[in-house]
Amino acid sequence: MRDIVEKLVALQGIDNEARSFQADRDGLRQSVGRLKDILTLARKGLDDKKEKLADATKWYREKDLELRGDQEKVSKARSKLQAVTKNKEYMAMQKEIEILNRSNATKQEEILKLLQATEEYKLSIATEQEKSAALEADVASEEGRNATRIGELDARIDSITANRKDIAASLKRPLLDQYDQIREKRAGLAIVPVRAGACSGCNFSVPPQQVVMLQRLDQLETLQRCRNCSRFLYWEPPKAEAAAEG
């Protein structure tokens, strides 16, 4: 039984180490991922503003063209007005010119607002482009810094996985399945030491007679499990006792 317990403890140590490396690697990838998400949002915002600028520019040109046409109408109407001799016709044309002038004044205001809007969009787009460029540089820098470390972690994880396969191959399949099921359900910990008379996985008290059995590892016939969390248990001597034995 000692050999089985020692292999399970070694397997747990490998799994703990692999989980730590995987967490570090995933954290680095997530860091880059968050920056990329921010960059994507920035680019979308920039595209939206460019679209609005294009719309404002289009409306500005249309309104400006309309204004030029109406101004030409006013000019022609004034030319005709000089040749009118009848009072009634003169008054009608004068009224038409006033209506055109009021319409043109309104269009001039709209054009000025559109012109102001386009200038504001241009300034805003220039600012957003600078921010996007800075974010792109940050993403590239973060990827560059993390690439080497992620490669190192991947290599370490691959090495650990190979070691795990060697140990796992020496254990019976039903026991290995049990170990993996417990590890999956219990925060990655399938076998834990007994400390201060309690399971170190859940702090549930371990009966004294079970502690004695764990201490007599060579005499154990079956693996011992916590009555509360069902993790496998093993005896870990207190530090002072272990130091004295060393």
Side-chain angles (χ1 to χ4, degrees):
M1 190 57 64
R2 177 182 292 276
D3 181 59
I4 292 174
V5 171
E6 288 177 349
K7 285 179 179 178
L8 287 175
V9 172
L11 196 62
Q12 183 67 74
I14 287 172
D15 287 335
N16 290 347
E17 190 177 16
R19 189 169 68 247
S20 174
F21 287 138
Q22 287 165 350
D24 289 346
R25 180 196 61 191
D26 293 346
L28 292 173
R29 287 176 175 168
Q30 287 169 6
S31 175
V32 174
R34 283 191 293 270
L35 281 176
K36 286 184 175 179
D37 288 342
I38 294 171
L39 180 57
T40 298
L41 289 174
R43 284 172 174 167
K44 185 179 182 302
L46 183 58
D47 288 341
D48 289 343
K49 288 181 179 179
K50 285 181 178 179
E51 186 177 343
K52 288 177 180 178
L53 174 61
D55 289 340
T57 302
K58 179 184 175 183
W59 293 336
Y60 168 79
R61 288 172 180 167
E62 289 174 354
K63 292 295 181 182
D64 187 58
L65 189 62
E66 287 178 15
L67 179 60
R68 290 176 187 274
D70 288 345
Q71 285 173 338
E72 189 175 346
K73 288 179 184 178
V74 171
S75 180
K76 288 180 179 179
R78 283 177 177 166
S79 297
K80 289 181 180 180
L81 188 63
Q82 295 175 2
V84 173
T85 56
K86 294 180 181 180
N87 188 55
K88 187 175 180 180
E89 188 178 351
Y90 182 88
M91 293 297 292
M93 290 192 69
Q94 185 71 32
K95 187 174 181 180
E96 182 184 350
I97 291 171
E98 288 176 1
I99 292 171
L100 283 170
N101 282 334
R102 283 198 298 271
S103 175
N104 289 347
T106 301
K107 286 177 181 176
Q108 283 177 332
E109 289 180 7
E110 291 176 354
I111 287 171
L112 285 173
K113 287 179 181 178
L114 285 170
L115 187 60
Q116 183 179 0
T118 57
E119 291 303 317
E120 288 175 356
Y121 280 130
K122 286 177 182 177
L123 288 173
S124 180
I125 286 169
T127 301
E128 292 301 320
Q129 284 175 328
E130 288 181 4
K131 288 181 180 178
S132 291
L135 277 171
E136 286 174 0
D138 287 343
V139 170
S141 176
E142 189 78 3
E143 282 185 316
R145 282 198 304 269
N146 293 350
T148 301
R149 180 55 181 158
I150 288 174
E152 292 172 352
L153 289 169
D154 281 336
R156 193 72 185 95
I157 290 167
D158 289 343
S159 174
I160 290 170
T161 301
N163 291 338
R164 187 187 196 281
K165 286 180 180 178
D166 290 339
I167 295 175
S170 67
L171 294 170
K172 291 182 179 179
R173 187 75 246 179
L175 176 59
L176 187 60
D177 289 342
Q178 261 190 318
Y179 169 88
D180 288 334
Q181 288 169 6
I182 297 170
R183 189 167 62 90
E184 185 177 345
K185 293 177 181 178
R186 298 298 180 185
L189 296 176
I191 182 167
V192 295
V194 172
R195 290 173 182 157
C199 167
S200 61
C202 66
N203 282 332
F204 194 78
S205 178
V206 177
Q209 62 270 29
Q210 191 177 15
V211 173
V212 172
M213 291 173 66
L214 290 167
Q215 290 173 334
R216 297 172 180 173
L217 182 58
D218 291 322
Q219 299 175 22
L220 272 182
E221 295 182 0
T222 59
L223 289 167
Q224 297 298 299
R225 298 175 70 168
C226 174
R227 295 175 300 160
N228 181 56
C229 68
S230 296
R231 290 182 174 98
F232 292 120
L233 298 173
Y234 69 95
W235 170 251
E236 182 180 74
K239 291 182 178 180
E241 182 180 331
E245 289 178 359

